[in-house]
Amino acid sequence: MAKTSKKSVKSSTAKKSTKKVKKQKPKVSALTVTAILAAIAAVSACVLLLLNKWQLSLNLKGADIVHVEYGSEYIDEGAECAYTGTWLPFIREDVEVSTEGSVDSTKTGTYTLTYSADYKDLHEEKTRTVIIEDTAPPRIVLNESPDSYTPFNHPYEEEGFTAEDNYDGDLSSQVVSEEKDGKVYYKVTDSSGNTASIVRTIYYDDRKGPEITLAGGEAVTFYVGDKFYHEWYAMDDVDGDLSEEVKIESDVDTSTPGEYTVTYTISDSHGNESTAVRTVTVKAKPKNNPAPSESGKTIYLTFDDGPSAYTDQLLAVLDQYNVKATFFTTSAYPGYAYCMAKEAAAGHTVAVHTATHDYSQIYAYDEAYWADFNRQNEVVAAQTGSYSTMFRFPGGSSNTVSRNYNTGIMSRLVNQAASYGYVYFDWNVSSGDAGNTTDTSVVYYNVITGIQACADRGVPAVVLQHDTKSYSVAAVADIIEWGLENGFTFAALTPSSYAPHHGLNN
């Protein structure tokens, strides 16, 4: 087999075919593209630089208008500024901002803060408005106690409250309150028009029992044979007068000396109960045994200016203790002249004080005094059947008021009385009922203190009281009981009795 060489085949093929060659374009390198783009960018940059406008961009941090509560701290957020272009904003430079103005949050009002920046002949500024205002209402605080309550059917008694405002301060005095339907409504408005209100619910209750009052006190004394009587009152803060509903337990027997008790009990409509106990002492009635002779243990009770509306009451007390007294009478209350007859019939001494008790008349001159004296002595004689030789000067022999009408008249009247056979009596114990006191207990204290002082000196006590004074008459029973219990004897004055005389002052 014949061997064919590759070379000859190739040549043979080349001879038989005609090869068509394609015409190629020139190639552009990457370097050339980059250069072109750079050129374009440079041209654009030049154009932008020519068109760019430089400016200051000033912006506030936060709101343009800020509301701040009065008294709160205001912290300004400030502002920021940059130097930049309109076409090339990425090119910028920070510029310092200055601030003018201030804000005082302790004073309400509108404040303006101005922010400004200056750079390369450029200036920019903006403002912020800060309003300091009082929008917080006052605060009302109610005073409340867990133990406080209002009795039923009673108006509420204010427990107290305070009102404070962050701007105006204490507004307690401006709070307006109204009680309605078991509640109290409180309201207050501050100077900025902010209003606060609060409501208190009234707590009604009844925790207190009725109050029992024992007339005459918790301890009283009666004498054998006396009729027992007692008075009481019961008042409740809700139910009112409950006196008639009081239940009484008593074992008092005034026929037998001893100590007894009376128990008073009352309950109100809410079950509160009260009890009071009175101790009653029954004892034998002390007797007044007239002393055979005067001593420091003798008491002469004397009463001026009557008889009056209280004389009958006084006579009853004296009769109860078998005590005799002396009455220096006037005609001031002619409707009670009949009491002189009762005084004399009971064994008391009825003497002369004055008919008119008018100092300007009786001490005008000597004869005027004796005319007044005789006028009253006629009344005494008409009521008792005899004239009196005993008397007491109005104001006492030591009075100085007579100086206003006649100098030396008291000295003359004293001498004249002796020459006429009359005996005058001053006093050495004063009850103080003529103007120093209107208190029965003080009258009692004054009298027993004076009596004891006379006893210490060994002289009888001549006591000055007035049967025209109810509070003085009311002290007589206690004075008598004190005297009898302390060994004194009571007697009526006679012309020969001990007669204390004051020093003459006119």
Side-chain angles (χ1 to χ4, degrees), residues 304-311 333 466-470 473:
D304 286 10
D305 294 358
S308 76
Y310 308 110
T311 303
Y333 308 97
H466 295 78
D467 55 330
T468 58
K469 312 288 186 181
S470 61
V473 171

Side-chain angles (χ1 to χ4, degrees), residues 277-356:
V277 177
R278 191 200 305 267
T279 300
V280 180
T281 301
V282 178
K283 60 182 180 180
K285 183 180 297 185
K287 297 294 183 180
N288 180 48
N289 298 312
S293 60
E294 292 181 321
S295 69
K297 301 294 286 186
T298 302
I299 300 172
Y300 294 107
L301 296 179
T302 71
F303 299 91
D304 286 10
D305 294 358
S308 76
Y310 308 110
T311 303
D312 274 325
Q313 176 186 343
L314 174 58
L315 290 173
V317 172
L318 296 172
D319 182 61
Q320 181 181 359
Y321 296 96
N322 191 30
V323 166
K324 309 305 176 185
T326 302
F327 293 87
F328 291 103
T329 65
T330 72
S331 292
Y333 308 97
Y336 296 97
Y338 69 89
C339 289
M340 297 182 202
K342 293 181 66 174
E343 292 164 358
H348 304 292
T349 296
V350 181
V352 175
H353 189 36
T354 175
T356 64

Side-chain angles (χ1 to χ4, degrees), residues 6-60:
K6 294 180 180 180
K7 184 177 176 181
S8 61
V9 172
K10 182 176 180 181
S11 298
S12 177
T13 304
K15 286 180 179 181
K16 289 181 178 181
S17 61
T18 301
K19 188 174 181 180
K20 191 176 183 178
V21 179
K22 184 178 182 180
K23 192 175 183 178
Q24 295 181 347
K25 293 179 180 181
K27 292 183 178 179
V28 179
S29 69
L31 182 61
T32 302
V33 172
T34 301
I36 293 171
L37 292 175
I40 294 172
V43 172
S44 298
C46 290
V47 172
L48 290 175
L49 284 173
L50 291 173
L51 296 176
N52 184 60
K53 181 180 180 181
W54 296 97
Q55 64 181 8
L56 292 178
S57 177
L58 178 62
N59 297 302
L60 300 182

Side-chain angles (χ1 to χ4, degrees), residues 104-284:
D104 185 355
S105 61
T106 65
K107 296 180 181 179
T108 59
T110 300
Y111 299 83
T112 300
L113 298 178
T114 301
Y115 306 87
S116 61
D118 294 278
Y119 189 72
K120 293 184 177 180
D121 297 327
L122 294 176
H123 175 80
E124 184 71 14
E125 68 178 37
K126 287 189 177 181
T127 61
R128 188 198 313 273
T129 300
V130 180
I131 302 172
I132 304 298
E133 56 190 348
D134 174 26
T135 63
R139 181 170 179 262
I140 303 174
V141 178
L142 303 180
N143 296 342
E144 294 180 298
S145 170
D147 297 325
S148 179
Y149 70 95
T150 298
F152 293 107
N153 304 321
H154 281 232
Y156 171 71
E157 293 186 7
E158 180 59 58
E159 297 169 71
F161 52 81
T162 58
E164 288 289 333
D165 184 66
N166 67 328
Y167 185 73
D168 296 322
D170 187 0
L171 294 178
S172 302
S173 63
Q174 298 182 35
V175 174
V176 177
S177 63
E178 178 185 12
E179 181 182 344
K180 183 179 180 182
D181 300 328
K183 297 180 184 294
V184 183
Y185 298 84
Y186 304 85
K187 185 177 181 180
V188 66
T189 301
D190 65 18
S191 61
S192 301
N194 303 303
T195 298
S197 61
I198 194 170
V199 179
R200 186 202 299 272
T201 299
I202 302 173
Y203 179 63
Y204 291 97
D205 200 358
D206 182 8
R207 305 176 189 173
K208 185 179 179 182
E211 183 176 342
I212 301 175
T213 301
L214 303 180
E218 296 180 352
V220 296
T221 300
F222 285 84
Y223 294 102
V224 173
D226 286 347
K227 181 180 179 180
F228 175 64
Y229 62 91
H230 58 138
E231 295 182 10
W232 65 91
Y233 308 95
M235 294 296 296
D236 185 66
D237 58 351
V238 173
D239 299 331
D241 190 349
L242 297 178
S243 302
E244 295 185 0
E245 299 180 33
V246 174
K247 297 179 181 179
I248 300 173
E249 296 181 6
S250 173
D251 62 353
V252 176
D253 178 7
T254 58
S255 66
T256 305
E259 190 170 279
Y260 304 89
T261 58
V262 183
T263 303
Y264 307 80
T265 305
I266 182 65
S267 294
D268 64 19
S269 60
H270 293 95
N272 300 304
E273 183 176 278
S274 298
T275 300
V277 177
R278 191 200 305 267
T279 300
V280 180
T281 301
V282 178
K283 60 182 180 180

